[in-house]
Amino acid sequence: MPLVRESPCKINLLLNVLGRRPDGFHELETLMHPVPLCDTLTFELAPAGAGASVPVHLTCSEPTLPTDAGNLVHRAATAFLEAAGVRDAVRIHLEKRIPLAAGLGGGSSNAAITLLGLNELFGQPLTADQLRPLAAALGSDVPFFLHSRPALGTGRGEQITPLDFLTALRGVHVLLIHPGFGVSTPWAYEDLARFPEALNGRPGRARGLAVLLQGPDLRLAAGELYNSLEAPVLEKFPVLALYQTFLRSHGAIGALMSGSGSTTFALVENTDKGRRLEVKFRERFGDRCWTAVVPLRSG
Ligand code: C5P
């Protein structure tokens, strides 16, 4: 029987860059929240003899994505089989729904769910402590997706402190808007060098926002949403700043770019408000954007 697992995405309620590190990465603090807009991954053992020399067979619904080691799922599967000492071959199918290069962590989620899915398929040969470094080696956002909980991320984003679901977000939905173009994450971080204030943020903001969201007042907390990477990205793509102004003036409690973009998210009280805002947004900005209204799970 194939094992089928959902691979959710995330938003960054806050992403505060604290400086450039000697290894070229950036030190940051972030508050991430899972969003149940999901890709689907299917895992099964390859029939004996079918894949002795090629241990990972990956297929994908999205033709523009590679299915070899250029795909994080493939790399995650190879890393898992090696670390677990498994000699069988596996087949994996990825059904893509999360937009690409979107700041929603789709590829990172796929990698983490591959580690968890294969560990389940083979009877849990690796412990959580063994999976964590494998995840971190695959990408800064991958360890977050080993937990399906809101979390603080520090270091380059890979050091995760899971949190309880946040009181102020109970019932809250997000309107996600992808403008139809992607943003390169390395470029966004590199271009931060032109914005010294955004590059060298004041530490403590992520925990501060988490504390506010543990209280009852979402409007108070929404004033603290922040993303350092908006400095370069909104300058290059001013339409994303127009989105935020429009969303805030048409009922969003808060609006922000997620990760390195290009997705904008708006927080709304419930699904009806989300749908109404989505309609208004599409009337104003046209139908070329991808949009979705999704509940933020709150426990
Ligand atoms: O870790 P990940 O592979 O997702 O990072 C992609 C790129 O984003 C890195 O190569 C680096 O250029 C940039 N990055 C960074 N600082 C971080 C995370 C990512 O500079 N904390």
Side-chain angles (χ1 to χ4, degrees):
M1 273 288 276
L3 183 74
V4 181
R5 288 291 173 265
E6 300 284 87
S7 179
C9 61
K10 57 87 181 163
I11 52 171
N12 300 82
L13 294 164
L14 186 135
L15 195 166
N16 186 21
V17 174
L18 305 177
R20 194 165 200 276
R21 310 191 329 183
D23 65 2
F25 280 89
H26 290 75
E27 193 72 12
L28 55 82
E29 52 172 25
T30 181
L31 176 59
M32 291 187 269
H33 201 291
V35 177
L37 166 80
C38 298
D39 295 336
T40 305
L41 280 155
T42 307
F43 307 96
E44 59 188 326
L45 280 175
S53 60
V54 189
V56 179
H57 306 259
L58 174 64
T59 53
C60 181
S61 63
E62 170 55 56
T64 61
L65 280 182
T67 51
D68 58 10
N71 192 309
L72 267 183
V73 169
H74 197 288
R75 292 216 289 280
T78 304
F80 172 85
L81 295 176
E82 270 177 35
V86 170
R87 305 186 69 84
D88 296 297
V90 291
R91 282 180 205 254
I92 306 175
H93 179 70
L94 170 60
E95 197 65 33
K96 212 62 205 162
R97 269 174 231 104
I98 304 168
L100 308 174
L104 296 172
S108 303
S109 169
N110 297 162
I113 302 304
T114 297
L115 294 175
L116 293 174
L118 292 180
N119 205 33
E120 205 176 324
L121 190 72
F122 288 102
Q124 312 284 358
L126 299 185
T127 63
D129 282 350
Q130 290 172 308
L131 289 175
R132 220 171 291 125
L134 292 185
L138 290 162
S140 305
D141 281 349
V142 180
F144 166 75
F145 289 103
L146 294 175
H147 314 269
S148 42
R149 301 256 296 273
L152 290 168
T154 53
R156 58 183 167 88
E158 91 289 12
Q159 289 168 32
I160 294 299
T161 307
L163 302 173
D164 284 337
F165 280 92
L166 299 160
T167 308
L169 293 176
R170 201 163 284 159
V172 167
H173 283 51
V174 277
L175 167 60
L176 300 174
I177 299 162
H178 185 271
F181 56 83
V183 172
S184 152
T185 301
W187 169 81
Y189 276 102
E190 215 41 56
D191 207 48
L192 256 186
R194 295 195 300 115
F195 302 88
E197 266 186 50
L199 174 62
N200 299 295
R202 162 179 64 80
R205 295 178 76 160
R207 194 163 286 281
L209 177 58
V211 168
L212 284 177
L213 288 169
Q214 279 153 355
D217 191 343
L218 180 55
R219 283 186 191 276
L220 180 68
E224 300 301 313
L225 299 177
Y226 173 72
N227 185 343
S228 313
L229 296 172
E230 285 190 344
V233 178
L234 267 50
E235 186 195 78
K236 184 168 182 186
F237 302 107
V239 71
L240 300 180
L242 294 181
Y243 288 1
Q244 290 190 19
T245 308
F246 181 89
L247 292 165
R248 288 194 199 101
S249 63
H250 288 80
I253 303 168
L256 195 75
M257 184 179 85
S258 184
S260 57
S262 56
T263 300
T264 299
F265 68 86
L267 300 178
V268 287
E269 284 98 335
N270 54 48
T271 186
D272 280 354
K273 290 203 172 170
R275 296 254 171 260
R276 284 206 291 276
L277 186 57
E278 184 180 34
V279 169
K280 283 187 213 152
F281 180 88
R282 298 185 79 90
E283 278 169 7
R284 169 68 182 80
F285 289 99
D287 274 338
R288 250 181 302 166
C289 299
W290 171 96
T291 59
V293 177
V294 192
L296 268 188
R297 250 195 69 217
S298 56

